[in-house]
Amino acid sequence: MEQALTVADWIERIGAQFAGADLHFGHGTDNARDEAAWLVLHVVGAPLDGSFGDWGRVVEPAEAADIRRLADARCSSGSPLAYLLGRARFAGLEFEVTPDVLVPRSPIAELILDGFRPWCDFSPLRGRQPRVLDMCTGCGCIAIATAHYLPRVQVDAVDISRAALEVAARNVRRHGVADRVRLIRSDLFQSLPACRYDLILANPPYLPQGGLPGLPPEYGSEPSLGLASGADGLDAVLEILVRAPDYLADDGILVCEVGESEGRLAVAVPSLPFLWLEFTHGGSGVFLLERRELAAARPALDALIGERKHVA
């Protein structure tokens, strides 16, 4: 009979298993031990907010069996752990995730927790209710976290995927923000009703289509619709840049994540004064632009998009 192991024992054992497997970490954790801790704590029903301290608790046989099963599936399937658990954390909150949505991992979480200061003023002194647009919402994590931490804000969350919006709807209900988060099915701005937003948040697909086969297997488990956008990864973000001024308030701002496409975007649109944000907890490839800057660059953006369509 196998000796009973504690929570700490299991984390060490699974961490070693993950470290010896051909796994990529980047869908909720960035190393084998943290991923093992996530798995073990999830199975034993422990909080994942850093408050757990009962590391010497003996793991029950049924729990141990679940730990082994999930660890083996993680190693053999190449699927992100979040999909195996059906859950992922973002900005301190838990969300349902399925293979219909990307696993939440945007550094925009840090901006949400900071209240988007110093660029936005969502204080009651402004009088009217602030409006935020979350473009390419996926599971709804950015929209819902924004509504959760900024209780005065009304959020519209847009996605082209019906399946993703179904997941987002369950998460909206889970977090009790249905009165302030509206889900809209639209191909970017195409079917979005006319509205002016104080803040547009966007985490669009930004990888080159041809680069997907070279990614670790974990990315192959995610919907390609949420990962790739054209030959150079810039199709969606350029559309957002050119249309955003029509939906921003006069003093509104756009915050957009483009990840590894940061350099390509800066070269493609040199007329835009991108402010590339820095993050305390890691992450890059997120820019901020004001409406006036976007409006001034529209002729150049229109010309660029026209050239790209002509070449295509």
Side-chain angles (χ1 to χ4, degrees):
M1 182 176 180
E2 184 178 56
Q3 178 184 1
L5 299 177
T6 66
V7 170
D9 293 332
W10 273 110
I11 291 173
E12 292 301 321
R13 174 176 287 194
I14 301 305
Q17 180 181 353
F18 285 172
D22 186 19
L23 299 178
H24 171 79
F25 303 105
H27 291 79
T29 69
D30 61 7
N31 63 82
R33 192 179 189 283
D34 283 353
E35 189 131 325
W38 177 15
L39 187 157
V40 173
L41 293 179
H42 173 88
V43 170
V44 302
L48 300 174
D49 58 5
S51 64
F52 181 74
D54 191 11
W55 305 106
R57 192 202 116 176
V58 173
V59 174
E60 298 295 328
E63 295 171 333
D66 281 343
I67 290 171
R68 290 192 201 91
R69 175 181 57 80
L70 287 166
D72 290 345
R74 175 71 178 97
C75 293
S76 63
S77 69
S79 179
L81 180 61
Y83 290 154
L84 300 175
L85 303 181
R87 296 286 183 271
R89 291 183 68 79
F90 178 82
L93 305 174
E94 187 174 80
F95 295 89
E96 176 189 339
V97 293
T98 76
D100 291 315
V101 299
L102 298 184
V103 176
R105 51 185 178 273
S106 174
I108 289 174
E110 189 171 315
L111 303 179
I112 297 171
L113 294 173
D114 287 341
F116 299 101
R117 289 184 290 266
W119 301 285
C120 295
D121 179 11
F122 293 140
S123 67
L125 297 178
R126 294 194 69 186
R128 65 179 179 81
Q129 186 177 38
R131 299 191 67 89
V132 174
L133 172 65
D134 175 30
M135 184 65 69
C136 305
T137 196
C139 73
C141 60
I142 289 177
I144 293 165
T146 298
H148 175 86
Y149 290 109
L150 299 168
R152 295 188 60 252
V153 169
Q154 187 74 32
V155 185
D156 285 344
V158 171
D159 206 286
I160 191 175
S161 167
R162 190 184 304 276
L165 289 173
E166 290 173 356
V167 177
R170 294 193 292 272
N171 281 320
V172 165
R173 293 192 294 270
R174 175 189 183 92
H175 289 281
V177 291
D179 60 329
R180 291 188 297 112
V181 176
R182 177 174 63 160
L183 301 176
I184 301 171
R185 186 166 184 246
S186 177
D187 183 356
L188 300 179
F189 294 98
Q190 193 172 91
S191 303
L192 185 63
C195 186
R196 293 286 182 172
Y197 297 94
D198 301 280
L199 170 65
I200 296 178
L201 302 170
N203 187 9
Y206 53 71
L207 296 178
Q209 188 70 45
L212 292 185
L215 294 175
E218 284 82 354
Y219 292 94
S221 299
E222 296 186 293
S224 60
L225 185 67
L227 291 172
S229 185
D232 61 0
L234 299 182
D235 284 5
V237 67
L238 289 174
E239 183 69 17
I240 290 170
L241 288 171
V242 79
R243 295 292 306 280
D246 296 333
Y247 290 86
L248 281 170
D250 290 341
D251 59 349
I253 63 169
L254 166 68
V255 173
C256 182
E257 179 176 351
V258 294
E260 67 157 33
S261 290
E262 174 180 338
R264 290 191 296 274
L265 180 61
V267 170
V269 198
S271 60
L272 271 172
F274 294 103
L275 174 61
W276 296 101
L277 303 180
E278 297 182 0
F279 297 93
T280 302
H281 303 294
S284 62
V286 178
F287 67 78
L288 182 149
L289 288 166
E290 299 176 5
R291 182 190 181 279
R292 60 178 181 82
E293 296 168 333
L294 290 161
R298 173 168 264 170
L301 287 164
D302 282 333
L304 175 60
I305 292 173
E307 292 172 5
R308 290 164 64 90
K309 289 181 178 177
H310 176 72
V311 170

